[in-house]
Amino acid sequence: MYHTEAIVLSRFELGEADRVLTLLTPRDGKLKAIAKGVRKPRSRLGGAVEPFAELELVLVRARTFDVITQVAVGHAWLSLRERLESTATAWYLAELAERAVEERAYAYPVYALLRRAYQLLDDGMAPGRVARWFEFGLADALGMRPEVERCVECDRVLEVDEEFRWVPLLGGTMCQRHPPPPSEQTPLSLDALKLLRAYRRLDIEAIAGLRLPAPVEAEVESALRRFIRNVLEREARSLAFLDEVRAHVPA
Ligand SMILES: [Zn+2]
C-alpha cells in the first residue's frame, strides 16, 4: 500500500462499474490504476476521479493495475471546466504530459509544470499563453529547451537586424549564413523571436500581461507546436479538437 499525489490524465471504462485512470505522479511518473465500482451511484470514489483533478490517493499494488482504495480531492479546478477552450487546452496538456513521462519514473518537474498550468487555466489566464508556456517548459524539463538566443549551427548570438529561420529538428533558431537544412524549417520574424525569448526569460505572469498582435502569437504557436511534435515524435491527437473549439470561440 502506498500514498501519492496524482493528476488524472485520462481514463477509460472497464466492465460494468470500474474505471481505469492514467495518472501522473511526482515520484512514480505515469501509472495506470483502477477505481473499482466508481460508476455505481453510491460509490465512495464517485465524482472525484475526473480528468485534470489533482488527488491524494491511497493505492494497493497489484499485478496489472494498482487499485485505488482512498481518494481525497486536492484541486478540482472547477473554473477550468466551465470554458470549452480551457478544457480542450487541459486535454492537450494532459496528452503532452502523458507522452513525455515514462511509467514508474521520477517525474516531479513535469508534474509541477502541469499542476501550475491547470491552476493558471483555472485562474482564467488565456489558454494559448498557458499552452505555449507549458510547451516551452516541457521541452526544458526533457532537456530539449528550444534555442532562441543563438544560432544552433554556429552558436553566434542572433542580432535583431538579421534574418532567422526556425529549425525544430536542430533545436531552435538558425542564422542566414548557412545553407537551408533539408529538414522542416521556416523563416522566423523578429517579433516572433522576441516572443519566444520572452517565454524563455520571463515568468508566466509577465507573459500574460504582454499585448501582442495576433499574427505574432500565431507564428509562435506554430513554431512551438512543431518543436513539441519533434520532441515527442508525433502530433498530439487532442490538437484537432482544440483547434475546432478555438475556431468557434470569438477572438
Ligand atoms: Zn549561424
Side-chain angles (χ1 to χ4, degrees):
M1 190 175 279
Y2 64 103
H3 169 269
T4 184
E5 297 171 307
I7 296 174
V8 182
L9 297 178
S10 62
R11 62 179 193 188
F12 63 87
E13 317 291 355
L14 186 71
E16 291 284 301
D18 302 342
R19 185 170 282 161
V20 175
L21 308 174
T22 301
L23 302 170
L24 177 65
T25 68
R27 290 175 301 276
D28 294 308
K30 186 169 64 176
L31 61 95
K32 284 192 163 54
I34 187 164
K36 287 190 171 168
V38 73
R39 286 150 60 212
K40 288 179 184 162
R42 300 186 62 187
S43 164
R44 280 183 306 114
L45 303 177
V49 291
E50 292 293 322
F52 326 137
E54 186 185 45
L55 308 174
E56 300 277 342
L57 297 175
V58 177
L59 298 112
V60 174
R61 291 201 194 275
R63 211 173 332 155
T64 43
F65 306 125
D66 290 1
V67 179
I68 297 171
T69 58
Q70 283 180 49
V71 179
V73 177
H75 292 92
W77 290 307
L78 296 176
S79 302
L80 180 168
R81 297 157 205 273
E82 288 168 5
R83 292 177 298 272
L84 196 50
E85 191 185 356
S86 297
T87 309
T89 301
W91 278 116
Y92 170 57
L93 303 187
E95 184 183 353
L96 295 188
E98 186 168 348
R99 292 260 171 90
V101 168
E102 304 287 327
E103 296 197 10
R104 308 285 177 183
Y106 178 78
Y108 180 76
V110 176
Y111 185 89
L113 193 69
L114 188 64
R115 188 180 188 284
R116 180 95 195 279
Y118 284 174
Q119 184 66 58
L120 294 166
L121 288 172
D122 197 63
D123 291 344
M125 191 174 287
R129 301 270 170 100
V130 177
R132 302 296 82 75
W133 174 82
F134 183 88
E135 288 162 343
F136 216 108
L138 185 69
D140 201 3
L142 298 174
M144 301 175 83
R145 181 163 71 190
E147 177 56 65
V148 294
E149 308 289 341
R150 294 168 176 272
C151 169
V152 291
E153 190 70 28
C154 65
D155 203 36
R156 202 166 49 77
V157 174
L158 298 171
E159 304 293 341
V160 294
D161 58 353
E162 57 182 315
E163 295 189 344
F164 332 99
R165 287 191 297 263
W166 182 247
V167 193
L169 194 64
L170 297 183
T173 45
M174 182 189 262
C175 77
Q176 289 290 345
R177 294 183 181 178
H178 322 287
S183 68
E184 186 192 28
Q185 52 104 13
T186 49
L188 190 70
S189 72
L190 177 59
D191 284 343
L193 178 68
K194 285 179 175 171
L195 179 53
L196 284 165
R197 286 177 169 177
Y199 278 106
R200 152 104 168 69
R201 293 172 178 172
L202 304 179
D203 63 36
I204 182 65
E205 277 81 9
I207 290 166
L210 299 174
R211 294 171 62 114
L212 298 162
V216 176
E217 293 218 70
E219 192 181 350
V220 166
E221 173 180 306
S222 168
L224 280 178
R225 280 184 176 191
R226 279 180 285 136
F227 194 91
I228 282 291
R229 184 176 66 205
N230 199 63
V231 167
L232 299 179
E233 296 176 342
R234 56 181 155 153
E235 183 92 290
R237 282 168 303 163
S238 52
L239 268 183
F241 176 60
L242 174 58
D243 288 341
E244 194 174 327
V245 166
R246 290 175 55 203
H248 294 90
V249 173

